[in-house]
Structures are given as C-alpha cells and as structure tokens.
Amino acid sequence: MNRAARELYRQYFDTIIVGESDEKLLEEVFRLRYQVYCIENPFEAADANPQGLERDPYDDKAVHCLLLHKGSRAWAGTVRLILPNKEAPDHSFALQDVCTDPRIHDPESFPVMQMAEVSRFCISKDFRKRQNDWLYPASNEPGEQEDERRVIPNMTLGLIEGLIAMSLDNGIFYWCAVMEKPLLRLLSRLGIHFENIGPLVEYHGRRQPCVLELRTMLERVHAERPDVYEILTDGGRHWDRLECALAARAG
C-alpha cells in the first residue's frame, strides 16, 4: 500500500533540483516566488523585484527545487535551502536575526555548519484554484481524475522530498526555519515535527522559529506515516543515503 501511494504520487508530480548554473530554471523559481510572495500574498514589494522575479541576498547561498505537475507541465511550487555561511556562521540564516533564544548560540543545539534554513516554501494559489478546469484535460477516466485529486492536497510532500535530496547533496543534517503556525500544523499531520526555539517572532507576520534533525524526523515519519515516508525518501533511497553520510561523518 505504501509503495502504491508513492507510485501514484509519481504519476502526477516530479521534484526537480535546480542546478546552480541552470539560469532558465532559476528564473522559473524566482518568477513563481514573485507570483506567490508579491502578488498572491504581498509579503514583498512588487516594485522592489523588477522583471517579475522575486529574489534576495540569501539566494547567493541557497539551493532550490521546483515541483512539476507532469500532466500540464506547470510549476506548482518551489522551496529553497539556505546553506551555512562559512565566513560568518552566526549570520547564515534569517532565523538568527529574529530569534533571541540562547540555544541558537549553542553548537550542540544549533550546529550551524551542518544546518540549512528552509525558506520560500510556496505552492501557487493559482495552481490550486485552477486544478479543476485544467489539470485533467488528457484524462477521460473518472478513476484517474479521482486519483489525481487525492494526491493534489499533498503537493507539499514533493517539495519536502526535494529538501531532503538537497540536504544530502550538501552535507546537511539539520534544518531550521521561521514558519507560520498553520504550516507547522500541516507538517505535523504528515509526521514532520519541528521543535520550537523561543517564542513567536514578527517576521512577515507572526512566525515560529524552529529546528529539526533530519534523521530523527524521518524515523518519526516512518513510525507515524509510512505512506508519507515512502514519498519523502523515494522508496527508502534517501534514507540509505542519509545512513551512509552519517556513517562517513562518524568516521
């Protein structure tokens, strides 16, 4: 059953890791972010992002992925992983500028050089709104349409799988983030539990600084939501990579 859930999901969505030099895909990332962060939810000023592309200085030290809806060839979502700043570790992430909890200065609780910040996590509202009238033009079978409608609400999973893959590509074992409470509740229903660090902060609205360890997160997902685990680990492939990376790190 769990494998079937992953195979069903893969019928409709694909996670695309954006290469550092892939200017065309990077432009798609920034264009989708402009739509979400400047138009749909005006957290950022549209006039400060010319040419309809939203970006900021953190993009210089970030890796990105896109979520592709295969049937329409439309970009449904994107997320980035901000990597640690080797020259100035204490100024690697936005969280470090807004969170006052002393744990962020403790290398045991907050291992900056093995950590990355999850940021610009977004799925287009336009994509969701239009799903009923344009995602299914090639499908004439009611059963196929129902299958796709079942996986649409979990588009989030494809972006998280991309985060895991990018983490493993870059020697990252911990995540931090400054997230809205509704997103944290959604993630917890999927078995993904962040640990709060300090109180809510003002950062484009009231948000919660939080952290997690990648291995612990995947173990808990496996216990609580094995169907989700299959998608997040690509059938266990990412888990095997993580175990190998941890063994190599331990010497």
Side-chain angles (χ1 to χ4, degrees), residues 26-45:
L26 281 172
E27 187 172 300
E28 295 293 345
V29 167
F30 300 141
R31 181 176 291 112
L32 181 55
R33 281 174 24 186
Y34 179 86
Q35 176 65 28
V36 173
Y37 286 102
C38 299
I39 304 302
E40 296 173 3
N41 302 288
F43 294 137
E44 304 292 343

Side-chain angles (χ1 to χ4, degrees), residues 110-143:
F110 201 83
V112 174
M113 298 312 297
Q114 300 173 55
M115 180 177 284
E117 185 172 65
V118 176
S119 177
R120 291 300 194 264
F121 191 111
C122 61
I123 295 172
S124 172
K125 282 184 179 177
D126 186 55
F127 185 92
R128 290 174 179 268
K129 179 181 68 176
R130 295 169 60 193
Q131 69 186 31
N132 289 333
D133 59 23
W134 69 280
L135 287 190
Y136 314 104
S139 177
N140 297 316
E141 297 295 330

Side-chain angles (χ1 to χ4, degrees), residues 65-81:
C65 74
L66 284 157
L67 183 64
L68 175 70
H69 178 260
K70 293 180 177 180
S72 63
R73 307 304 295 176
W75 299 115
T78 185
V79 68
R80 73 180 175 187
L81 201 60

